Amino acid sequence: MSDVLEHEGELLGVETHSEADEKALLGSLGDDQDFDPSGITADESVSDAMMLEFAAAEAVMWLGVGELFLQEMVHPDFHFNEELAEKFGKKAAPLMMKYGGELPPWLKEYKEEIGFAAAAGALGFMSWRQIKALKAEDVEKDKSDKPETDTEKSEAA
């Protein structure tokens, strides 16, 4: 079986290595000790600044999701002002860090209710938009199906 796999590997251009080759490679990389992340010290101020930047970028990303939602629901040409979106991200970052990217503890209790309200609201709004569009299509269809009267023909001429 290994001969077949080895032959298929050669046909596919896949290199095969023995266990001895792997051990030799690992031995050439240095000591055999596992990586210990506790040995690495980080500058707290740099870490906090980086975390704030990441949180700000994440807030702006979520704002972008909201923008896409508004484009779908309200108007396809809607866009948030980029400068204001960046300011929003910078102001939202400390809040996001404060709660670790989750809902505040006093609001976690209502997570399911908030999710349901958002889903029900989106469903209701999308249904209303669809009904409005269907009615507009019916009006256009009625206009095109209605035969021209004699007065409309004379006005057109």
Side-chain angles (χ1 to χ4, degrees):
M1 179 70 173
S2 65
D3 292 340
V4 172
L5 292 175
E6 206 171 291
H7 179 67
E8 286 179 2
E10 289 172 11
L11 290 175
L12 296 173
V14 177
E15 292 183 32
T16 56
H17 301 282
S18 68
E19 191 174 326
D21 292 336
E22 290 176 15
K23 285 183 181 178
L25 175 66
L26 292 174
S28 71
L29 294 176
D31 58 15
D32 291 335
Q33 295 200 7
D34 288 334
F35 174 70
D36 182 15
S38 65
I40 296 179
T41 58
D43 183 6
E44 291 290 325
S45 63
V46 172
S47 178
D48 287 346
M50 287 175 61
M51 291 300 291
L52 274 173
E53 278 185 48
F54 176 74
E58 189 175 3
V60 171
M61 186 265 314
W62 281 111
L63 194 60
V65 170
E67 181 179 65
L68 290 173
F69 181 75
L70 288 170
Q71 287 172 349
E72 178 65 33
M73 298 289 238
V74 181
H75 197 281
D77 293 333
F78 175 83
H79 293 287
F80 285 119
N81 176 294
E82 285 186 40
E83 184 180 331
L84 293 177
E86 292 298 321
K87 285 182 181 179
F88 170 84
K90 287 179 181 175
K91 294 295 183 183
L95 183 63
M96 291 178 68
M97 286 182 60
K98 181 178 181 178
Y99 296 110
E102 295 186 19
L103 290 174
W106 54 270
L107 202 52
K108 274 187 181 181
E109 186 176 327
Y110 301 102
K111 180 180 175 182
E112 292 81 9
E113 288 83 353
I114 294 168
F116 170 76
L123 178 64
F125 185 76
M126 291 297 283
S127 298
W128 171 78
R129 262 188 70 203
Q130 184 179 8
I131 290 168
K132 188 176 173 181
L134 289 170
K135 285 183 177 182
E137 286 176 16
D138 287 345
V139 168
E140 288 298 316
K141 187 178 176 184
D142 286 346
K143 285 181 183 178
S144 65
D145 288 348
K146 186 177 176 184
E148 286 188 45
T149 63
D150 291 336
T151 55
E152 290 174 341
K153 287 181 186 176
S154 64
E155 289 175 6

